[in-house]
Amino acid sequence: MKKFGYGTGVSVYLMKRSPKGLSRSPWAVKKVNKQCDVSHKNLYEQRLNDEAKILKNLQHPNIVGYRALTKTTDGSLCLAMEYGGEKSLCDLIEERSEKRLGPFPADTIFKVALNMARGLKYLHNDKNILHGDIKSSNVVVKGDFESIKICDVGVSLPLDENMTVNSPDAEYIGTESWKPKEALEDGGVITDKADIYAFGLTLWEMMTLAIPHVNLPPEGDDEDSFDEDDFDEDAYYEALGTRPPLNMDELNDSYQRVIELSYMCCSENPKERPSAAKIVEALESENI
C-alpha cells in the first residue's frame, strides 16, 4: 500500500486491488498509527468505528463511500473506503500557492461549490447529519476536478428535525480556523449552518490560497526568515469565526458570484447563512 495522506492519529494509504487478469477499483485505507500511546490509540480507534458506522449508511456521489472495517496483521484497526482521489483540495491549494498561480479559476470554484453543496444537502436533509469538520483537506479530488467528494465524517453529529444538534453527549470538534462563531462561544447553538460557515471558508481558501485567519508573510518573503514571534496570536483569536478579507486586486469580475456566495456563507450570524439546499438550488439555476 502507498501512503498518500494523514490526519490526527491516522495515516491514509492507497490499496490497489487488481490481481492479474482482474480489474478492481482501488481503496483508500485509513489506519490508526502504531506510534500512538494506548489512551490516544483507543480514542482514534473509537473515532474510526464511529466513522465506519456512519459511512455504512451513506451513499452519494459527493460523499466518499464505505468499503470495509477490519484489523491488519499487526492488530491495527483500519477503515477501507472508496478511493476518491489521491489529492485533497488542500494539496491542490498548496501546490497552486507554491507555483504562484493565483486564485483558482472562478468556474473551478463554482464546480467545487456545487459538488460540495450537493454532498452537504444530502447529509443535512436526507441523513440529518452535521459533517462537523468541513475544510479543504476533507475534500478529495480526482483528476482535473472530474469528481469532488467530501470525506472524513468521523466527528459528525446528529441533527434534529430543526437542523439543530441537541444530543447532550454531542460535542462539536471541528478545526479551529474553520469554526463558526457559535462553536467558539460557551452555550452556542450548533446547527447545519456550522457546516455552511466552513463551506464558505473553503471557497475563500480557493480564492486566497491561504489558511483562514492566519496572516503569513507576504508572497516573495524568504520563508526561512519567518519568525514565530511575527505571528499575531491575539489578532488570530479575535478573527476566529468572522468573515476574513479578500484581496480584490487578484479577483476580476468573473469571481463576483463566488465572492457573494462565500460572503453570505461566512456571516457571523448563522441565520443569515443559506442552507445547503438553497445553495444547490441557486447554483443549479445558473447551469453551473
Coordinates of all heavy atoms in Angstrom, one line a residue, residues 96-187:
R96 N -0.8 25.0 -5.9 CA -1.0 26.3 -6.7 C -0.3 27.5 -6.0 O 0.2 28.4 -6.7 CB -2.5 26.5 -6.8 CG -2.9 27.5 -7.8 CD -4.4 27.5 -8.1 NE -4.7 28.5 -9.1 CZ -4.7 28.2 -10.4 NH1 -4.5 27.0 -10.8 NH2 -5.0 29.2 -11.3
S97 N -0.3 27.5 -4.7 CA 0.4 28.6 -4.0 C 1.9 28.5 -4.2 O 2.5 29.6 -4.4 CB 0.1 28.5 -2.4 OG 0.8 29.4 -1.7
E98 N 2.5 27.3 -4.1 CA 3.9 27.2 -4.4 C 4.3 27.6 -5.8 O 5.4 28.2 -6.0 CB 4.3 25.7 -4.1 CG 4.3 25.3 -2.6 CD 4.4 23.8 -2.5 OE1 4.6 23.1 -3.5 OE2 4.4 23.3 -1.3
K99 N 3.4 27.4 -6.7 CA 3.7 27.7 -8.1 C 3.3 29.2 -8.4 O 3.5 29.7 -9.5 CB 3.0 26.8 -9.1 CG 3.5 25.4 -9.0 CD 2.7 24.4 -9.9 CE 3.1 23.0 -9.8 NZ 2.3 22.1 -10.6
R100 N 2.7 29.8 -7.4 CA 2.3 31.2 -7.5 C 1.4 31.5 -8.8 O 1.6 32.4 -9.5 CB 3.5 32.2 -7.6 CG 4.4 32.0 -6.3 CD 5.5 33.0 -6.3 NE 6.3 32.9 -5.0 CZ 7.3 33.6 -4.7 NH1 7.7 34.6 -5.5 NH2 7.9 33.4 -3.6
L101 N 0.4 30.6 -8.9 CA -0.5 30.7 -10.0 C -1.7 31.5 -9.7 O -2.6 31.8 -10.6 CB -1.0 29.2 -10.3 CG 0.1 28.3 -10.8 CD1 -0.5 26.9 -11.0 CD2 0.7 28.8 -12.1
G102 N -1.9 32.0 -8.5 CA -3.0 32.9 -8.1 C -4.3 32.1 -7.9 O -4.2 30.8 -7.9
P103 N -5.4 32.7 -7.7 CA -6.7 32.0 -7.3 C -7.1 31.0 -8.4 O -6.7 31.1 -9.6 CB -7.7 33.2 -7.3 CG -6.9 34.4 -7.1 CD -5.6 34.2 -7.8
F104 N -7.8 30.0 -7.9 CA -8.3 29.0 -8.9 C -9.3 29.8 -9.8 O -10.0 30.7 -9.3 CB -9.1 27.9 -8.2 CG -8.2 26.9 -7.5 CD1 -7.6 27.1 -6.3 CD2 -7.9 25.7 -8.2 CE1 -6.8 26.1 -5.7 CE2 -7.1 24.7 -7.7 CZ -6.5 24.9 -6.4
P105 N -9.5 29.3 -11.0 CA -10.5 30.0 -11.9 C -11.9 29.9 -11.3 O -12.2 29.0 -10.6 CB -10.4 29.1 -13.2 CG -9.1 28.5 -13.2 CD -8.8 28.3 -11.7
A106 N -12.7 31.0 -11.5 CA -14.0 31.1 -10.9 C -14.8 29.9 -11.2 O -15.6 29.3 -10.4 CB -14.7 32.4 -11.3
D107 N -14.8 29.4 -12.5 CA -15.5 28.2 -12.9 C -15.2 27.0 -12.1 O -16.1 26.2 -11.7 CB -15.3 27.9 -14.4 CG -16.0 28.9 -15.3 OD1 -16.8 29.7 -14.8 OD2 -15.7 29.0 -16.5
T108 N -13.9 26.8 -11.8 CA -13.5 25.7 -10.9 C -14.0 25.8 -9.5 O -14.5 24.8 -8.9 CB -11.9 25.6 -10.9 OG1 -11.4 25.5 -12.2 CG2 -11.5 24.4 -10.1
I109 N -14.0 27.0 -9.0 CA -14.5 27.2 -7.6 C -16.0 26.9 -7.6 O -16.5 26.3 -6.7 CB -14.2 28.6 -7.1 CG1 -12.7 28.9 -7.1 CG2 -14.8 28.8 -5.7 CD1 -12.3 30.3 -6.7
F110 N -16.8 27.4 -8.6 CA -18.2 27.1 -8.7 C -18.5 25.6 -8.8 O -19.4 25.1 -8.2 CB -18.8 27.8 -9.9 CG -19.3 29.2 -9.6 CD1 -18.9 30.3 -10.2 CD2 -20.3 29.3 -8.6 CE1 -19.3 31.5 -9.9 CE2 -20.8 30.6 -8.3 CZ -20.3 31.7 -9.0
K111 N -17.6 24.9 -9.5 CA -17.8 23.4 -9.6 C -17.6 22.7 -8.3 O -18.4 21.9 -7.9 CB -16.8 22.9 -10.7 CG -17.0 21.4 -11.0 CD -16.1 20.9 -12.1 CE -16.4 19.5 -12.5 NZ -15.6 19.0 -13.6
V112 N -16.6 23.1 -7.6 CA -16.3 22.6 -6.2 C -17.5 23.0 -5.3 O -18.0 22.1 -4.5 CB -15.0 23.1 -5.7 CG1 -14.9 22.8 -4.2 CG2 -13.8 22.6 -6.5
A113 N -18.0 24.2 -5.4 CA -19.1 24.7 -4.5 C -20.3 23.8 -4.8 O -21.0 23.4 -3.8 CB -19.4 26.1 -4.8
L114 N -20.7 23.6 -6.0 CA -21.9 22.8 -6.3 C -21.8 21.4 -5.8 O -22.7 20.9 -5.2 CB -22.2 22.9 -7.8 CG -23.4 22.1 -8.3 CD1 -24.7 22.5 -7.6 CD2 -23.6 22.3 -9.8
N115 N -20.6 20.8 -6.1 CA -20.5 19.4 -5.7 C -20.5 19.2 -4.1 O -21.1 18.3 -3.6 CB -19.2 18.8 -6.3 CG -19.4 18.4 -7.7 OD1 -19.8 17.2 -8.0 ND2 -19.1 19.3 -8.6
M116 N -19.8 20.1 -3.5 CA -19.7 20.1 -2.0 C -21.1 20.4 -1.4 O -21.6 19.7 -0.5 CB -18.8 21.2 -1.5 CG -17.3 20.8 -1.6 SD -16.3 22.1 -0.8 CE -16.7 21.8 1.0
A117 N -21.9 21.4 -2.0 CA -23.2 21.7 -1.5 C -24.2 20.5 -1.7 O -25.0 20.3 -0.9 CB -23.7 22.9 -2.3
R118 N -24.0 19.8 -2.8 CA -24.9 18.6 -3.0 C -24.6 17.6 -1.9 O -25.5 16.9 -1.4 CB -24.6 18.0 -4.4 CG -25.3 18.8 -5.5 CD -24.8 18.3 -6.9 NE -25.5 19.0 -8.0 CZ -25.1 19.0 -9.3 NH1 -24.0 18.3 -9.6 NH2 -25.8 19.6 -10.2
G119 N -23.3 17.4 -1.6 CA -23.0 16.4 -0.6 C -23.5 16.9 0.8 O -24.0 16.1 1.6
L120 N -23.4 18.2 1.1 CA -23.9 18.7 2.4 C -25.4 18.6 2.4 O -26.0 18.3 3.5 CB -23.4 20.1 2.6 CG -21.9 20.3 2.9 CD1 -21.5 21.8 2.9 CD2 -21.6 19.6 4.2
K121 N -26.1 18.9 1.3 CA -27.6 18.8 1.3 C -28.0 17.4 1.6 O -28.9 17.2 2.4 CB -28.1 19.2 -0.1 CG -29.6 19.1 -0.3 CD -30.0 19.4 -1.7 CE -31.5 19.1 -1.8 NZ -32.0 19.3 -3.2
Y122 N -27.3 16.4 1.1 CA -27.6 15.0 1.3 C -27.4 14.7 2.8 O -28.3 14.1 3.5 CB -26.7 14.1 0.5 CG -26.8 12.6 0.8 CD1 -27.9 11.9 0.4 CD2 -25.7 12.0 1.5 CE1 -27.9 10.5 0.7 CE2 -25.8 10.7 1.8 CZ -26.9 9.9 1.4 OH -26.9 8.6 1.7
L123 N -26.3 15.1 3.4 CA -26.0 14.9 4.8 C -27.0 15.5 5.7 O -27.6 14.9 6.6 CB -24.6 15.4 5.2 CG -23.4 14.6 4.6 CD1 -22.1 15.3 5.0 CD2 -23.4 13.2 5.1
H124 N -27.3 16.8 5.4 CA -28.2 17.6 6.3 C -29.7 17.2 6.1 O -30.4 16.9 7.1 CB -28.1 19.1 6.0 CG -26.8 19.7 6.3 ND1 -26.4 20.9 5.8 CD2 -25.7 19.2 6.9 CE1 -25.1 21.2 6.2 NE2 -24.7 20.1 6.9
N125 N -30.2 17.2 4.9 CA -31.6 17.0 4.7 C -32.0 15.5 4.6 O -33.1 15.2 5.1 CB -32.0 17.7 3.4 CG -31.9 19.2 3.4 OD1 -30.7 19.7 3.5 ND2 -32.9 19.9 3.4
D126 N -31.2 14.7 4.0 CA -31.6 13.2 3.9 C -31.2 12.4 5.0 O -31.9 11.4 5.4 CB -31.0 12.7 2.6 CG -31.5 13.3 1.3 OD1 -32.4 14.2 1.4 OD2 -31.1 12.9 0.2
K127 N -30.0 12.7 5.6 CA -29.5 11.9 6.7 C -29.4 12.5 8.1 O -29.1 11.9 9.1 CB -28.1 11.4 6.3 CG -28.0 10.5 5.1 CD -28.8 9.2 5.4 CE -28.8 8.3 4.2 NZ -29.5 7.0 4.5
N128 N -29.8 13.8 8.1 CA -29.8 14.6 9.4 C -28.5 14.4 10.1 O -28.4 14.1 11.3 CB -30.9 14.1 10.3 CG -32.3 14.6 9.9 OD1 -33.0 13.8 9.2 ND2 -32.7 15.8 10.2
I129 N -27.4 14.7 9.4 CA -26.1 14.6 9.9 C -25.3 16.0 9.6 O -25.4 16.5 8.5 CB -25.3 13.5 9.2 CG1 -25.8 12.1 9.7 CG2 -23.8 13.6 9.5 CD1 -25.2 11.0 8.9
L130 N -24.7 16.5 10.7 CA -23.8 17.6 10.5 C -22.4 17.0 10.3 O -21.9 16.2 11.1 CB -23.8 18.5 11.8 CG -22.8 19.7 11.8 CD1 -23.4 20.8 11.0 CD2 -22.5 20.1 13.2
H131 N -21.7 17.4 9.2 CA -20.3 16.9 9.0 C -19.4 17.2 10.1 O -18.7 16.4 10.7 CB -19.8 17.4 7.7 CG -18.4 16.8 7.3 ND1 -17.3 17.3 7.9 CD2 -18.1 15.8 6.5 CE1 -16.2 16.7 7.4 NE2 -16.7 15.7 6.6
G132 N -19.4 18.5 10.5 CA -18.6 18.9 11.7 C -17.2 19.2 11.5 O -16.5 19.7 12.4
D133 N -16.6 19.0 10.3 CA -15.2 19.4 10.1 C -14.9 19.7 8.6 O -14.0 19.2 8.0 CB -14.3 18.3 10.6 CG -12.9 18.7 10.8 OD1 -12.6 20.0 10.8 OD2 -12.0 17.9 10.9
I134 N -15.8 20.5 8.0 CA -15.6 20.9 6.6 C -14.4 21.8 6.5 O -14.2 22.8 7.2 CB -16.9 21.5 6.0 CG1 -18.0 20.5 5.9 CG2 -16.6 22.2 4.7 CD1 -17.8 19.4 4.9
K135 N -13.5 21.5 5.5 CA -12.3 22.3 5.2 C -11.7 21.6 3.9 O -12.1 20.5 3.5 CB -11.3 22.3 6.3 CG -10.9 20.9 6.8 CD -10.0 21.0 8.0 CE -9.7 19.5 8.5 NZ -8.8 19.6 9.7
S136 N -10.8 22.3 3.3 CA -10.2 21.8 2.1 C -9.5 20.5 2.2 O -9.5 19.7 1.2 CB -9.2 22.9 1.5 OG -8.1 23.1 2.4
S137 N -9.0 20.2 3.3 CA -8.3 18.9 3.5 C -9.2 17.7 3.6 O -8.9 16.5 3.5 CB -7.3 18.9 4.7 OG -8.0 19.2 5.9
N138 N -10.5 18.0 3.8 CA -11.6 16.9 3.9 C -12.4 16.9 2.6 O -13.6 16.5 2.6 CB -12.4 17.1 5.1 CG -11.7 16.7 6.4 OD1 -10.8 15.9 6.3 ND2 -12.2 17.2 7.5
V139 N -11.8 17.4 1.5 CA -12.4 17.3 0.2 C -11.4 16.6 -0.7 O -10.3 17.1 -0.8 CB -12.8 18.6 -0.4 CG1 -13.4 18.5 -1.8 CG2 -13.8 19.4 0.6
V140 N -11.8 15.5 -1.3 CA -10.8 14.8 -2.2 C -11.2 15.0 -3.7 O -12.4 15.0 -4.0 CB -10.7 13.3 -1.9 CG1 -9.9 13.1 -0.6 CG2 -12.1 12.6 -1.8
V141 N -10.2 15.1 -4.5 CA -10.4 15.5 -5.9 C -9.7 14.5 -6.8 O -8.6 14.1 -6.6 CB -9.9 16.9 -6.2 CG1 -10.1 17.2 -7.7 CG2 -10.6 17.9 -5.4
K142 N -10.4 14.0 -7.8 CA -9.9 13.1 -8.8 C -9.6 13.8 -10.1 O -10.5 14.5 -10.6 CB -10.8 11.9 -9.0 CG -10.2 10.8 -9.9 CD -11.1 9.6 -10.0 CE -11.2 8.8 -8.7 NZ -12.1 7.6 -8.9
G143 N -8.4 13.6 -10.6 CA -8.0 14.2 -11.9 C -8.2 15.7 -11.9 O -7.9 16.4 -10.9
D144 N -8.6 16.2 -13.1 CA -8.8 17.7 -13.2 C -10.2 18.0 -12.8 O -11.1 18.4 -13.6 CB -8.6 18.1 -14.7 CG -8.6 19.6 -14.9 OD1 -8.4 20.3 -13.9 OD2 -8.9 20.0 -16.0
F145 N -10.5 17.8 -11.5 CA -11.8 18.1 -10.9 C -12.9 17.3 -11.6 O -14.0 17.7 -11.7 CB -12.1 19.6 -10.9 CG -11.2 20.4 -10.0 CD1 -10.1 20.9 -10.5 CD2 -11.5 20.5 -8.6 CE1 -9.2 21.6 -9.7 CE2 -10.7 21.2 -7.8 CZ -9.5 21.8 -8.3
E146 N -12.5 16.0 -12.0 CA -13.5 15.1 -12.6 C -14.5 14.7 -11.6 O -15.7 14.4 -11.9 CB -12.8 13.9 -13.2 CG -11.9 14.3 -14.4 CD -10.8 13.2 -14.6 OE1 -11.0 12.1 -14.2 OE2 -9.8 13.6 -15.3
S147 N -14.1 14.4 -10.3 CA -15.0 14.1 -9.2 C -14.5 14.8 -8.0 O -13.3 15.0 -7.8 CB -15.1 12.6 -9.0 OG -14.0 12.1 -8.3
I148 N -15.5 15.2 -7.2 CA -15.2 16.0 -5.9 C -16.1 15.4 -4.8 O -17.3 15.3 -4.9 CB -15.6 17.5 -6.1 CG1 -14.8 18.1 -7.3 CG2 -15.4 18.3 -4.9 CD1 -15.4 19.3 -8.0
K149 N -15.4 14.9 -3.8 CA -16.1 14.2 -2.7 C -15.7 14.7 -1.4 O -14.5 14.9 -1.1 CB -15.8 12.7 -2.8 CG -16.4 12.0 -4.1 CD -16.0 10.5 -4.2 CE -16.4 9.9 -5.5 NZ -17.8 9.6 -5.5
I150 N -16.7 14.8 -0.5 CA -16.4 15.1 0.9 C -16.0 13.8 1.7 O -16.6 12.8 1.4 CB -17.7 15.7 1.6 CG1 -18.0 17.1 0.9 CG2 -17.5 15.9 3.1 CD1 -19.4 17.6 1.3
C151 N -15.0 13.9 2.5 CA -14.6 12.7 3.3 C -14.5 13.1 4.8 O -14.8 14.2 5.2 CB -13.2 12.2 2.8 SG -11.8 13.4 3.0
D152 N -14.1 12.1 5.6 CA -13.8 12.2 7.0 C -15.0 12.7 7.8 O -15.1 13.8 8.2 CB -12.7 13.2 7.2 CG -12.0 12.9 8.6 OD1 -12.5 12.2 9.4 OD2 -10.9 13.5 8.8
V153 N -16.0 11.7 8.0 CA -17.2 12.0 8.8 C -17.0 11.5 10.2 O -18.0 11.4 10.9 CB -18.4 11.4 8.1 CG1 -18.7 12.0 6.7 CG2 -18.3 9.9 8.0
G154 N -15.8 11.4 10.6 CA -15.5 10.8 12.0 C -16.0 11.6 13.1 O -16.1 11.1 14.2
V155 N -16.2 12.9 13.0 CA -16.6 13.8 14.1 C -18.0 14.4 13.8 O -18.3 15.4 14.4 CB -15.6 14.9 14.4 CG1 -14.3 14.3 14.9 CG2 -15.3 15.8 13.2
S156 N -18.7 13.7 12.9 CA -20.1 14.3 12.6 C -21.0 14.1 13.8 O -20.8 13.4 14.7 CB -20.6 13.5 11.4 OG -20.8 12.2 11.6
L157 N -22.1 14.9 13.7 CA -23.1 15.0 14.8 C -24.5 14.8 14.3 O -24.8 15.3 13.1 CB -22.9 16.3 15.6 CG -21.6 16.6 16.3 CD1 -21.5 18.0 16.8 CD2 -21.4 15.6 17.4
P158 N -25.4 14.3 15.1 CA -26.8 14.1 14.6 C -27.5 15.5 14.7 O -27.4 16.3 15.6 CB -27.4 13.1 15.6 CG -26.6 13.3 16.8 CD -25.2 13.6 16.4
L159 N -28.4 15.7 13.7 CA -29.2 16.9 13.6 C -30.7 16.5 13.9 O -31.1 15.4 13.4 CB -29.2 17.6 12.2 CG -27.8 18.2 11.9 CD1 -27.8 18.5 10.4 CD2 -27.5 19.4 12.7
D160 N -31.4 17.3 14.6 CA -32.8 17.0 14.8 C -33.7 17.6 13.7 O -33.1 18.1 12.7 CB -33.3 17.5 16.2 CG -33.3 19.0 16.3 OD1 -33.2 19.7 15.3 OD2 -33.4 19.5 17.5
E161 N -35.0 17.5 13.8 CA -35.9 18.0 12.7 C -35.7 19.5 12.5 O -36.1 20.0 11.4 CB -37.3 17.6 13.1 CG -37.9 18.3 14.3 CD -37.6 17.6 15.6 OE1 -36.8 16.7 15.6 OE2 -38.1 18.0 16.6
N162 N -35.2 20.2 13.4 CA -34.9 21.7 13.3 C -33.5 22.0 12.8 O -33.1 23.1 12.9 CB -35.2 22.4 14.6 CG -36.7 22.3 15.0 OD1 -37.6 22.4 14.2 ND2 -36.9 21.9 16.3
M163 N -32.8 21.0 12.4 CA -31.4 21.1 11.9 C -30.5 21.6 13.0 O -29.6 22.4 12.8 CB -31.4 22.1 10.7 CG -32.0 21.5 9.4 SD -31.0 20.1 8.8 CE -32.2 19.4 7.7
T164 N -30.8 21.2 14.2 CA -30.0 21.6 15.4 C -29.4 20.4 16.1 O -30.0 19.3 16.1 CB -30.9 22.3 16.4 OG1 -31.5 23.4 15.8 CG2 -30.1 22.8 17.6
V165 N -28.2 20.6 16.6 CA -27.5 19.5 17.4 C -28.0 19.6 18.8 O -27.7 20.6 19.5 CB -26.0 19.7 17.4 CG1 -25.3 18.6 18.3 CG2 -25.4 19.5 15.9
N166 N -28.8 18.6 19.2 CA -29.5 18.7 20.5 C -29.0 17.6 21.5 O -29.4 17.6 22.7 CB -31.0 18.6 20.4 CG -31.7 19.9 20.5 OD1 -31.2 20.8 21.1 ND2 -32.8 20.1 19.8
S167 N -28.3 16.6 21.0 CA -27.9 15.5 21.8 C -27.0 16.0 23.0 O -26.0 16.7 22.7 CB -27.1 14.4 21.0 OG -26.6 13.5 21.9
P168 N -27.3 15.6 24.2 CA -26.4 16.1 25.3 C -25.0 15.6 25.3 O -24.1 16.3 25.9 CB -27.2 15.6 26.6 CG -28.0 14.4 26.1 CD -28.4 14.8 24.7
D169 N -24.8 14.5 24.6 CA -23.4 14.0 24.5 C -22.6 14.5 23.3 O -21.4 14.2 23.2 CB -23.5 12.5 24.4 CG -24.1 11.8 25.6 OD1 -24.0 12.4 26.8 OD2 -24.8 10.8 25.5
A170 N -23.3 15.3 22.5 CA -22.7 15.7 21.2 C -21.7 16.9 21.5 O -22.0 17.8 22.2 CB -23.7 16.2 20.2
E171 N -20.5 16.8 21.0 CA -19.5 17.9 21.1 C -19.0 18.2 19.8 O -18.5 17.4 19.0 CB -18.4 17.4 22.0 CG -17.3 18.4 22.2 CD -16.0 17.9 22.9 OE1 -16.1 16.7 23.3 OE2 -15.1 18.7 23.1
Y172 N -19.1 19.5 19.4 CA -18.6 20.0 18.1 C -17.1 20.1 18.2 O -16.6 20.8 19.1 CB -19.2 21.3 17.8 CG -18.8 21.9 16.4 CD1 -19.6 21.6 15.3 CD2 -17.6 22.6 16.3 CE1 -19.2 22.1 14.0 CE2 -17.2 23.1 15.0 CZ -18.0 22.8 13.9 OH -17.6 23.3 12.7
I173 N -16.4 19.3 17.4 CA -14.9 19.4 17.5 C -14.3 20.3 16.4 O -13.7 21.3 16.7 CB -14.4 17.9 17.3 CG1 -14.8 17.1 18.5 CG2 -12.8 17.9 17.2 CD1 -14.4 15.6 18.4
G174 N -14.6 20.0 15.1 CA -14.2 20.9 14.0 C -12.7 21.1 14.0 O -11.9 20.4 14.7
T175 N -12.2 22.1 13.3 CA -10.9 22.6 13.2 C -10.9 24.1 13.5 O -11.6 24.8 12.8 CB -10.2 22.2 11.9 OG1 -10.3 20.8 11.7 CG2 -8.7 22.7 11.9
E176 N -10.0 24.5 14.4 CA -10.1 25.9 14.9 C -10.3 27.0 13.9 O -11.2 27.8 14.0 CB -8.8 26.2 15.7 CG -9.0 27.5 16.5 CD -7.8 27.6 17.5 OE1 -6.7 27.8 17.0 OE2 -8.0 27.5 18.7
S177 N -9.5 27.0 12.8 CA -9.6 28.1 11.8 C -10.9 28.1 11.1 O -11.2 29.1 10.5 CB -8.4 28.0 10.9 OG -7.2 28.4 11.5
W178 N -11.6 27.0 11.0 CA -12.8 26.9 10.3 C -14.1 26.9 11.2 O -15.2 26.7 10.7 CB -12.8 25.6 9.4 CG -11.9 25.7 8.2 CD1 -12.2 26.0 7.0 CD2 -10.5 25.4 8.2 NE1 -11.1 26.0 6.2 CE2 -10.0 25.6 6.9 CE3 -9.6 25.0 9.2 CZ2 -8.6 25.4 6.6 CZ3 -8.2 24.8 8.9 CH2 -7.8 25.0 7.6
K179 N -13.9 27.1 12.5 CA -15.0 27.1 13.4 C -15.9 28.3 13.3 O -15.3 29.4 13.2 CB -14.5 26.9 14.8 CG -14.1 25.5 15.2 CD -13.8 25.5 16.7 CE -13.5 24.0 17.2 NZ -13.2 24.0 18.6
P180 N -17.2 28.2 13.2 CA -18.1 29.4 13.2 C -18.1 30.0 14.6 O -17.7 29.4 15.6 CB -19.4 28.8 12.8 CG -19.4 27.4 13.4 CD -18.0 26.9 13.2
K181 N -18.6 31.2 14.7 CA -18.7 31.9 15.9 C -19.4 31.2 17.0 O -19.0 31.1 18.2 CB -19.3 33.3 15.7 CG -19.3 34.2 16.9 CD -17.9 34.7 17.2 CE -17.4 35.8 16.3 NZ -16.1 36.3 16.7
E182 N -20.5 30.5 16.6 CA -21.4 29.8 17.6 C -20.6 28.6 18.3 O -20.9 28.2 19.4 CB -22.7 29.4 17.0 CG -22.6 28.4 15.9 CD -22.6 29.1 14.5 OE1 -22.1 30.3 14.5 OE2 -22.9 28.4 13.5
A183 N -19.7 28.1 17.6 CA -18.9 26.9 18.1 C -17.8 27.4 19.0 O -17.2 26.6 19.7 CB -18.3 26.1 17.0
L184 N -17.5 28.7 19.0 CA -16.4 29.2 19.8 C -16.9 29.8 21.1 O -16.1 30.2 22.0 CB -15.6 30.3 19.0 CG -14.9 29.8 17.7 CD1 -14.6 31.0 16.8 CD2 -13.7 29.1 18.1
E185 N -18.2 29.9 21.2 CA -18.9 30.6 22.4 C -19.5 29.5 23.3 O -20.0 28.5 22.8 CB -20.0 31.5 21.9 CG -19.5 32.7 21.1 CD -20.6 33.5 20.5 OE1 -21.8 32.9 20.4 OE2 -20.4 34.6 20.0
D186 N -19.4 29.7 24.6 CA -20.0 28.8 25.5 C -21.5 28.8 25.3 O -22.1 29.9 25.3 CB -19.6 29.2 27.0 CG -18.2 28.9 27.3 OD1 -17.6 28.1 26.6 OD2 -17.7 29.6 28.2
G187 N -22.1 27.7 25.2 CA -23.5 27.6 25.1 C -24.1 27.9 23.7 O -25.3 28.1 23.5

